[in-house]
Amino acid sequence: MQQKLQLPIYLDNNATTPVDPGVLQAMLPYFTQHFGNAASRNHSFGWIAEEAVIIAREQIASLLGATAEEVIFTSGATEAVNLAIKGVYETYSSKGKHIITCVTEHKAVLDTCRHLERSGASVTYLPVDRHGIIDLNALEQSIQKDTILIAVMFANNETGVIQPVETIGRIAKEKAVLFFSDATQAVGKIPMNVEKNGIDLLCLSAHKIYGPKGAGALYVRRKDPRVRLTAQIDGGGHEKGMRSGTLNVPGIVALGKACALCEQRMDEETIRLSMLRNKLEAGLTAIEEVNINGGNVLRLPNVTNLSFSGIKSNRLLTEISKTIAVSSGSACTSANPEASHVLKAMDVRDTLARNSIRFGLGRFTTEEEIAYTISTVTQIVASLRK
Ligand SMILES: Cc1ncc(COP(=O)(O)O)c(C=O)c1O
């Protein structure tokens, strides 16, 4: 059945996603009927909440190929990134103070590394090639005796480019360095397995996978090796002492359900979203001088980053956003007129990097919306170039 097109169209699913009705339904009873504190051991209100948290841990672990005990709940990916990087640094800094990361990481990772540099860490920021992929030789060469952590994202939030995570994991293992991957954009979109990928720490966020804002998790390996972290939030000793604070039970239930839905639907959604994304790319690259950033390597199925030569993204965005919600890059930096650090690192010319728009498709994106986007953007580009 054809759905009537509703405006505005939402194509900014890498910034955040709407909550799936199934996720909302799962979490609602935990606000009212089952409002107990999951740490309350003396009554059924607590037991019911605790049981729901146990199920959510299992759902998340299943999506990652981890075990339930390895899932630590946080308020989102930013907090999980901070816990992973600062937590490793504070625990292992007697062994070494060197961290390796990559220039195209999200600000959550880059700013956390900068913070640690101010307290004595030395950080190597690996460059990327023009496709946005890190140089594996440079990675190997930059590992030193005092390297304690490699932090490289699974997939980029601006371009969707997927890093060679399995190889990075293997290199990290060979050199006995811990490997943290920010998988905020990749979780639920592409298959992942922390064993196969050799990952020791990995973060995710509910609001990127059709769950609510304010819930996330950090996977922390418990075996081969057992990773130890210094807590960044002290208190009642929740989450094995790694993250104190009363658990956000509705958010956690929602995160678990969101992961379960992603796991169930991944194959079908990958086919549908890559078909729609390819259609969008074919339609928009039919316009003269439109380039796909990161288009020649493995990418997430739902995102495309396009440079429209000769038109500043601000002007393009002003016009497009009358009916279509897109962005020029990450939401956290959307108020910043600077060219994207990700595109600059990929050697996209500064002018072109300022002409780039990210289109992020999602579970609720329809064919009609893609057709509308192609024709609207084509018209806008033609009139702005006149
Ligand atoms: C790659 C990446 N890492 C971290 C984050 C931060 O996630 P959160 O909003 O859950 O703090 C984002 C969100 O934009 C992201 O895309």
Side-chain angles (χ1 to χ4, degrees):
M1 200 179 65
Q2 273 223 336
Q3 278 180 344
K4 200 169 163 292
L5 187 70
Q6 276 199 5
L7 297 179
I9 291 168
Y10 188 70
L11 286 183
D12 202 12
N13 284 279
N14 297 85
T16 195
T17 54
V19 174
D20 187 287
V23 170
L24 182 64
Q25 207 183 8
M27 78 188 289
L28 281 178
Y30 293 89
F31 285 107
T32 49
Q33 199 183 349
H34 306 311
F35 58 86
N37 184 329
S40 297
R41 292 283 153 83
N42 303 323
H43 50 69
S44 64
F45 294 88
W47 303 331
I48 290 171
E50 190 191 14
E51 182 58 30
V53 170
I54 290 172
I55 293 171
R57 250 187 245 287
E58 282 164 0
Q59 289 168 317
I60 297 159
S62 166
L63 184 62
L64 307 179
T67 63
E69 305 76 61
E70 294 174 312
V71 175
I72 302 297
F73 289 112
T74 65
S75 62
T78 301
E79 190 197 326
V81 166
N82 275 264
L83 174 56
I85 301 179
K86 292 176 184 169
V88 163
Y89 183 76
E90 287 176 22
T91 305
Y92 295 89
S93 58
S94 55
K95 188 177 158 228
K97 293 185 187 312
H98 182 229
I99 295 170
I100 299 170
T101 187
C102 170
V103 286
T104 55
E105 292 292 308
H106 189 271
K107 293 283 177 202
V109 170
L110 294 175
D111 284 1
T112 301
C113 288
R114 295 266 181 243
H115 175 98
L116 290 181
E117 280 180 297
R118 290 193 289 275
S119 49
S122 87
V123 181
T124 301
Y125 297 88
L126 292 175
V128 294
D129 64 17
R130 64 193 178 86
H131 306 293
I133 304 279
I134 66 157
D135 179 342
L136 292 166
N137 286 328
L139 169 66
E140 280 201 274
Q141 281 161 18
S142 62
I143 298 174
Q144 309 164 6
K145 268 211 182 72
D146 63 341
T147 307
I148 51 169
L149 182 69
I150 297 170
V152 175
M153 69 199 327
F154 216 110
N156 187 269
N157 47 301
E158 295 190 26
T159 58
V161 165
I162 299 170
Q163 295 292 352
V165 170
E166 205 170 324
T167 315
I168 300 171
R170 192 171 38 72
I171 294 170
K173 255 241 140 51
E174 277 166 17
K175 305 274 182 176
V177 176
L178 295 177
F179 176 28
F180 161 60
S181 190
D182 173 357
T184 310
Q185 294 288 344
V187 163
K189 317 265 168 50
I190 51 173
M192 67 182 57
N193 182 298
V194 288
E195 292 304 327
K196 184 165 163 275
N197 301 140
I199 291 173
D200 299 307
L201 300 124
L202 175 148
C203 68
L204 64 147
S205 182
H207 76 98
K208 307 285 186 185
I209 54 171
Y210 313 99
K213 290 150 193 73
L218 180 68
Y219 155 79
V220 184
R221 178 176 287 282
R222 277 173 73 85
K223 224 170 81 194
D224 305 324
R226 183 185 185 114
V227 178
R228 300 191 183 274
L229 290 182
T230 304
Q232 301 300 307
I233 299 180
D234 295 307
H238 307 74
E239 299 299 272
K240 304 181 185 69
M242 290 191 219
R243 200 278 192 180
S244 287
T246 300
L247 291 183
N248 167 11
V249 178
I252 288 168
V253 168
L255 177 57
K257 180 71 180 180
C259 287
L261 289 180
C262 285
E263 191 169 359
Q264 277 164 26
R265 299 182 185 173
M266 191 180 293
D267 292 348
E268 165 212 330
E269 281 192 340
T270 300
I271 295 171
R272 199 183 76 85
L273 286 175
S274 41
M275 186 270 288
L276 288 181
R277 193 269 310 273
N278 295 348
K279 209 172 209 171
L280 180 66
E281 282 183 347
L284 295 182
T285 52
I287 307 172
E288 260 174 54
E289 293 194 72
V290 175
N291 295 311
I292 306 171
N293 296 310
N296 293 324
V297 287
L298 273 184
R299 277 179 303 161
L300 297 176
N302 71 311
V303 57
T304 184
N305 187 306
L306 302 175
S307 288
F308 295 83
S309 181
I311 313 171
K312 287 244 163 59
S313 51
N314 281 356
R315 286 191 66 208
L316 201 51
L317 275 177
T318 310
E319 291 306 313
I320 297 180
S321 62
K322 289 173 184 160
T323 53
I324 306 163
V326 288
S327 67
S328 58
S330 97
C332 321
T333 49
S334 60
N336 184 347
E338 288 274 303
S340 140
H341 73 285
V342 174
L343 299 182
K344 280 206 283 196
M346 290 163 70
D347 222 9
V348 174
R349 271 186 293 119
D350 203 52
T351 44
L352 266 189
R354 284 171 202 274
N355 303 346
S356 301
I357 305 276
R358 176 183 68 182
F359 297 81
L361 288 63
R363 182 171 291 166
F364 305 105
T365 305
T366 64
E367 287 221 44
E368 291 74 26
E369 291 177 333
I370 294 302
Y372 177 89
T373 303
I374 294 170
S375 75
T376 307
V377 174
T378 305
Q379 281 167 30
I380 291 171
V381 171
S383 85
L384 287 178
R385 277 188 181 157
K386 246 185 214 160

